[in-house]
Amino acid sequence: MSAVDQFVVAYGPEQVEDLVVLEDGCIEAVTTREIRVYERQADGSLTELFDEAADQALEAFWASVNEFNSNGENDR
């Protein structure tokens, strides 16, 4: 089973972190989205991961996505 099958990565809603008014009057907003990582359990439920476990799962997830894409499996 690949990390894509084992983990679920979810993005929360955008949150405004900062607003800057530029010299020309334009407003620039800095936004962030919370990333939440879950691991699929044998019974089909999800368990949320935190801290180092979430970081490691996220790295494994994106490595699996990159491997999938580099193998041409996603070509259309």
Side-chain angles (χ1 to χ4, degrees):
M1 173 179 356
S2 74
V4 172
D5 298 320
Q6 184 179 0
F7 301 110
V8 175
V9 177
Y11 297 88
E14 280 189 332
Q15 298 176 346
V16 176
E17 293 293 318
D18 192 20
L19 291 174
V20 177
V21 178
L22 303 176
E23 290 180 12
D24 60 2
C26 291
I27 298 174
E28 184 177 275
V30 177
T31 60
T32 59
R33 284 186 177 212
E34 180 182 8
I35 296 176
R36 299 175 78 174
V37 182
Y38 301 87
E39 183 174 18
R40 293 183 200 271
Q41 302 302 307
D43 65 0
S45 65
L46 298 175
T47 301
E48 187 168 5
L49 302 176
F50 298 95
D51 303 320
E52 186 67 27
D55 292 344
Q56 290 174 352
L58 195 57
E59 287 180 23
F61 176 86
W62 286 116
S64 289
V65 168
N66 289 336
E67 181 180 344
F68 176 83
N69 288 334
S70 68
N71 288 336
E73 296 177 44
N74 199 26
D75 291 343
R76 294 180 188 218

